[in-house]
């Protein structure tokens, strides 16, 4: 719930602000900030992890100290999210904490910590992620695929295609690889993503919207616009959200509705 409320509010604010009174925006901002801070301290580990993602996605730098402290959280998904957010935000004050996190007992957290270290300038950390990308542990494989895409290195394309095409990869790992290939900007993946957008399955269209936003550009935005009339509300809203991340306000009516 926190992810739905906070992410959609912050990311789509630019899309709808022209239609909302300034006083209303200030009230909504205070509410969203309160929800976000509460989420970082929630008893539910998934809410804490989602709150961390929101901090990163909406550039709430004043909360990064609290996020860094969650590198010691008892939950693996929270520690993973915290490490990834530190990398995304280039939060250098957490460097010493990351040096401890790269020794975490869980390999997923190790990968996220190495991702953050790479983003903070430790280039050798890339190899740690790459060497575990074809792990037989499918969660590790999926997370490695996602992190490689976020790093955006073209040299990752061969291993990402290998993950995408492997019969041993789960749907999540294959999708993460597809989205990462799109994020890196390989034109060959466009047709694959387009088939997701026209799938009869709503889940495919939902995931395809995220992948198409990662592809970006005019082609990506135009493809996303076709989902604004989708029969499933979650798909329409996701398309609007992803268009907003590309700076396109075409989905503002969907968001308001």
């Amino acid at each position: 719930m926190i992810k739905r409320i906070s992410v959609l509010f912050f990311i789509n604010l630019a899309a709808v602000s022209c239609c909302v009174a300034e006083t209303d925006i200030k009230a909504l901002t205070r509410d969203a900030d309160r929800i976000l801070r509460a989420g970082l301290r929630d008893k539910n580990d998934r809410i804490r992890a989602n709150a961390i993602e929101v901090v990163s996605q909406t550039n709430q730098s004043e909360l990064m100290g609290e996020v860094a402290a969650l590198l010691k959280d008892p939950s693996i998904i929270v520690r993973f999210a915290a490490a990834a957010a530190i990398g995304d935000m280039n939060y250098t004050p957490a460097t010493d904490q990351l040096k401890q996190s790269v020794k975490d007992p869980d390999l997923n957290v190790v990968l996220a910590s190495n991702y953050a270290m790479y983003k903070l300038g430790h280039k050798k950390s890339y190899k740690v992620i790459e060497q575990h990308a074809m792990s037989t542990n499918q969660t590790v494989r999926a997370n490695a695929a996602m992190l490689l895409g976020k790093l955006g290195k073209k040299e990752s394309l061969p291993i990402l295609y290998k993950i995408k095409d492997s019969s041993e990869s789960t749907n999540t790992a294959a999708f993460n690889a597809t989205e990462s290939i799109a994020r890196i900007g390989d034109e060959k993946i466009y047709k694959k993503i387009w088939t997701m957008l026209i799938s009869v399955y709503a889940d495919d269209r939902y995931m395809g919207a995220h992948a198409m936003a990662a592809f970006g550009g005019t082609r990506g935005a135009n493809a996303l616009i076709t989902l604004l009339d989708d029969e499933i509300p979650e798909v329409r809203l996701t398309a609007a959200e992803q268009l907003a991340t590309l700076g396109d306000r075409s989905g503002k009516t969907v968001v308001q509705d």
Side-chain angles (χ1 to χ4, degrees), residues 67-73 75-76 78-84 86 94-117 125 128:
V67 168
L70 292 174
L71 286 172
K72 295 183 178 180
D73 194 273
S75 169
I76 292 170
V78 173
R79 299 199 303 276
F80 179 93
I86 289 168
T95 300
D96 288 342
Q97 291 157 285
L98 283 173
K99 289 178 180 178
Q100 297 302 313
S101 290
V102 296
K103 305 172 186 176
D104 194 277
D106 185 85
L107 184 53
N108 294 286
V109 180
V110 170
L111 295 184
S113 299
N114 275 280
Y115 163 80
M117 290 293 284
S125 297
V128 177

Side-chain angles (χ1 to χ4, degrees), residues 6 38 48 163 187-188 214:
S6 299
R48 296 198 301 280
I163 294 171
E187 290 284 335
K188 296 195 296 290

Side-chain angles (χ1 to χ4, degrees), residues 163-183:
I163 294 171
K164 181 183 82 69
D165 297 331
S166 173
S167 60
E168 296 179 356
S169 291
T170 60
N171 288 339
T172 300
F175 169 72
N176 282 2
T178 299
E179 185 174 15
S180 289
I181 293 167
R183 191 178 302 280

Side-chain angles (χ1 to χ4, degrees), residues 14-252:
V16 301
S17 60
C18 61
C19 305
V20 180
E22 183 177 352
T23 53
D24 292 336
I25 291 175
K26 289 180 178 179
L28 288 171
T29 300
R30 286 194 297 270
D31 287 345
D33 182 72
R34 174 181 53 79
I35 292 168
L36 186 53
R37 290 175 184 273
L40 290 171
R41 302 158 193 165
D42 198 273
K43 293 180 180 179
N44 186 303
D45 58 351
R46 293 196 176 275
I47 291 180
R48 296 198 301 280
N50 284 338
I52 291 168
E53 288 184 36
V54 175
V55 170
S56 173
Q57 292 171 356
T58 58
N59 199 32
Q60 305 299 304
S61 56
E62 69 277 8
L63 295 178
M64 284 305 297
E66 193 164 345
V67 168
L70 292 174
L71 286 172
K72 295 183 178 180
D73 194 273
S75 169
I76 292 170
I77 63 171
V78 173
R79 299 199 303 276
F80 179 93
I86 289 168
D88 291 338
M89 294 287 285
N90 290 302
Y91 187 66
T92 55
T95 300
D96 288 342
Q97 291 157 285
L98 283 173
K99 289 178 180 178
Q100 297 302 313
S101 290
V102 296
K103 305 172 186 176
D104 194 277
D106 185 85
L107 184 53
N108 294 286
V109 180
V110 170
L111 295 184
S113 299
N114 275 280
Y115 163 80
M117 290 293 284
Y118 180 92
K119 295 282 285 186
L120 295 180
H122 300 263
K123 301 306 180 184
K124 291 182 180 180
S125 297
Y126 167 81
K127 291 298 181 183
V128 177
I129 304 172
E130 186 181 52
Q131 75 183 49
H132 292 290
M134 288 302 295
S135 171
T136 55
N137 182 312
Q138 292 295 322
T139 301
V140 171
R141 183 181 297 198
N143 283 330
M146 181 266 290
L147 293 170
L148 288 173
K150 286 161 70 72
L151 289 177
K153 295 167 68 67
K154 288 188 180 295
E155 66 187 82
S156 298
L157 287 173
I159 191 69
L160 287 170
Y161 270 106
K162 189 174 180 180
I163 294 171
K164 181 183 82 69
D165 297 331
S166 173
S167 60
E168 296 179 356
S169 291
T170 60
N171 288 339
T172 300
F175 169 72
N176 282 2
T178 299
E179 185 174 15
S180 289
I181 293 167
R183 191 178 302 280
I184 292 171
D186 188 21
E187 290 284 335
K188 296 195 296 290
I189 204 65
Y190 179 84
K191 289 184 179 180
K192 166 66 176 178
I193 303 173
W194 179 254
T195 63
M196 297 174 71
L197 297 189
I198 60 176
S199 170
V200 297
Y201 299 107
D203 284 350
D204 287 347
R205 301 196 300 277
Y206 174 87
M207 292 189 294
H210 288 271
M212 193 60 81
F215 186 84
T218 301
R219 292 176 72 194
N222 288 341
L224 284 168
I225 288 171
T226 67
L227 293 180
L228 294 177
D229 295 321
D230 195 273
E231 62 181 348
I232 304 299
E234 287 81 2
V235 175
R236 295 197 300 272
L237 194 57
T238 297
E241 175 189 6
Q242 295 305 308
L243 279 165
T245 67
L246 298 177
D248 189 312
R249 298 185 177 189
S250 299
K252 67 180 182 181

